Amino acid sequence: MRHFKFFFGACLLLLALSGVCLGQTAGSVTKYDKGNPTIGIVKYTGDATGRAVLETMLSKCDWFQVLKAAQAERASVRLSVSASNGAYAANVSASGEGGKSFRVDGVGKDWNESAAKLTDAILKELFGVPALCTRPIAYVVTSGGMKEIYTCRVDGSAQTRLTHNNALSSEPSWGHSGALVYTLNKSNSLKIVLVDVANSRQRTISSARGLNASAALSSNGRLVALALSLGKQVDLYLVDLSDGKPVRMTQDRDVESSPVFSPDGKQICFVSDKSGRPQLYLVSVDGGDARRLTSGASECVSPDWSPRSKLICCSTRVNGQYVIATLDPSKPGEKPVVVTEAAGQWEAPSWAPDGRHVVCTRSTGGTQDLYLVDTWFHTFLPLTKGAHISLPAWAPAR
């Protein structure tokens, strides 16, 4: 999601998660309290490339500890896989409490897509996880002074360039798995663009004079929340795409940004600096007064709201460093739970469709890479290395 400091800069310019042990639940996804269960391929027939791709996908989804062939029989989840013509069929046997056996297939246009489909089918059967590996991650790549939006899967496959604007294309935000919005800065003009990903179509939905930025698309694809500078002040607006008319949600001299819709679409979480530093607030889509969600001396920015866990993730500043944290919006004022403690600047978190992981960026040593963070066990995996990537957004399951 959008980071407030980048947004605020634009405003200044324009305005002068071993065994299968059942634990608690998070949404409808089962949470385990002893770490990831082991998984291994005990029998494999077919192309060796297919095996390597599948093991990579099983590892990158971060729901399993993948064992090598020599230890596979000891795994909690054991796979017998037949692979041919770029597709998989697998018999799965899970031991321990709640163990089960089932058969799943993974059929796609290549090994990577088939592995993503097979892994998603296994996750759904075992843990109730919706589509995860098959859903793209959008992100911004900076090169030659320009910014363009790309997408890829969690294993890095299916990298696709989404925009070809030769300009500053930024702030991608998914409403549902088939559509997203982003901010386009071209020829000294800011616009909000809606992308129909399935049909490769784009159209401008807001081009008001001044600031058009930090947009979010509702899950039903009808509403867009965004920041506009109408009336020479930055406020939060709501646009119904059926008529295109902006309705003001806030009205003050403070800066509002980074709106995200609640899972039921009835509320919007956003960032405002009205307390003196950026904090999170909630407002009804029907209007009314906003209420403060976070408090304290540390700023909280870049919120995202999970439709699975119902939690909000954000980036917050601790001891001069940005870290990723989660919080329960039903408990206003409660201190966010920090889930990244390693060095670097951790920013722009976006929930994975499983309601457990977030994708974000980590800046270290002059590079900014994509990372997968496990909010249950506070571990992380790098998805890129030595890149200059920003503002990732993971497409939802639906």
Side-chain angles (χ1 to χ4, degrees), residues 25 53 63 101 104 118 156 158 199 266 324 326 341 345 374 383:
T25 60
V53 171
W63 277 82
S101 297
V104 288
L118 184 68
N199 297 302
K266 295 181 179 180
I324 305 302
T326 63
E341 298 177 354
Q345 300 292 342
D374 185 345
L383 302 183

Side-chain angles (χ1 to χ4, degrees), residues 21-234:
C21 183
L22 190 62
Q24 66 190 69
T25 60
S28 61
V29 177
T30 305
K31 180 177 179 180
Y32 298 90
D33 59 11
K34 289 188 177 181
N36 288 342
T38 53
I39 191 169
I41 300 175
V42 297
K43 181 180 180 180
Y44 183 90
T45 57
D47 191 300
T49 299
R51 178 172 187 148
V53 171
L54 178 57
E55 288 182 335
T56 297
M57 189 68 74
L58 290 169
S59 177
K60 289 290 188 177
C61 79
D62 199 36
W63 277 82
F64 302 105
Q65 177 186 348
V66 181
L67 301 185
K68 299 297 184 180
Q71 291 82 40
E73 288 285 356
R74 292 158 34 187
S76 298
V77 182
R78 297 174 298 280
L79 308 181
S80 294
V81 181
S82 174
S84 63
N85 299 320
Y88 303 94
N91 290 314
V92 183
S93 176
S95 61
E97 185 179 347
K100 60 191 298 187
S101 297
F102 54 91
R103 178 183 172 88
V104 288
D105 299 309
V107 181
K109 63 183 180 182
D110 53 34
W111 286 121
N112 294 98
E113 183 178 357
S114 296
K117 290 184 175 183
L118 184 68
T119 302
D120 274 359
I122 294 171
L123 292 175
K124 185 175 182 180
E125 284 285 342
L126 290 178
F127 310 123
V129 172
L132 174 67
C133 301
T134 53
R135 292 301 179 260
I137 301 169
Y139 54 93
V140 177
V141 174
T142 301
S143 178
M146 300 298 167
K147 296 178 183 288
E148 300 289 355
I149 300 173
Y150 289 72
T151 64
C152 71
R153 300 191 192 102
V154 68
D155 68 336
S157 65
Q159 186 179 87
T160 303
R161 184 170 172 175
L162 193 65
T163 64
H164 297 80
N165 294 316
N166 194 32
L168 302 178
S169 309
S170 191
E171 301 184 315
S173 178
W174 298 88
H176 50 81
S177 60
L180 58 77
V181 290
Y182 70 90
T183 301
L184 173 61
N185 185 344
K186 189 171 185 177
S187 302
N188 296 317
S189 177
L190 285 167
K191 299 178 180 179
I192 301 299
V193 181
L194 173 67
V195 183
D196 178 344
V197 178
N199 297 302
S200 300
R201 293 193 299 230
Q202 303 190 24
R203 68 182 178 95
T204 299
I205 59 174
S206 181
S207 56
R209 184 175 180 179
L211 187 72
N212 297 264
S214 199
L217 179 66
S218 64
S219 60
N220 61 12
R222 297 178 184 175
L223 303 174
V224 173
L226 72 164
L228 298 174
S229 57
L230 304 179
K232 297 183 180 181
Q233 65 185 41
V234 179

Side-chain angles (χ1 to χ4, degrees), residues 218-334:
S218 64
S219 60
N220 61 12
R222 297 178 184 175
L223 303 174
V224 173
L226 72 164
L228 298 174
S229 57
L230 304 179
K232 297 183 180 181
Q233 65 185 41
V234 179
D235 282 303
L236 189 66
Y237 286 78
L238 196 62
V239 175
D240 189 325
L241 295 182
S242 65
D243 59 23
K245 296 179 180 179
V247 176
R248 179 176 272 162
M249 305 298 292
T250 63
Q251 189 167 2
D252 50 46
R253 294 187 176 275
D254 307 301
V255 176
E256 281 83 33
S257 73
S258 308
V260 289
F261 288 91
S262 62
D264 61 6
K266 295 181 179 180
Q267 296 184 87
I268 297 171
C269 176
F270 64 96
V271 178
S272 175
D273 65 348
K274 66 175 60 183
S275 68
R277 64 183 63 226
Q279 295 290 335
L280 304 186
Y281 291 77
L282 296 176
V283 66
S284 169
V285 295
D286 296 325
D289 294 334
R291 63 185 179 93
R292 187 169 170 177
L293 181 58
T294 56
S295 61
S298 297
E299 63 182 70
C300 294
V301 295
S302 302
D304 193 27
W305 205 326
S306 171
R308 302 295 298 186
S309 67
K310 314 302 182 187
L311 298 178
I312 289 173
C313 63
C314 65
S315 184
T316 185
R317 199 169 178 88
V318 177
N319 297 324
Q321 174 183 322
Y322 283 103
V323 297
I324 305 302
T326 63
L327 60 127
D328 186 342
S330 69
K331 302 175 181 178
E334 187 173 74

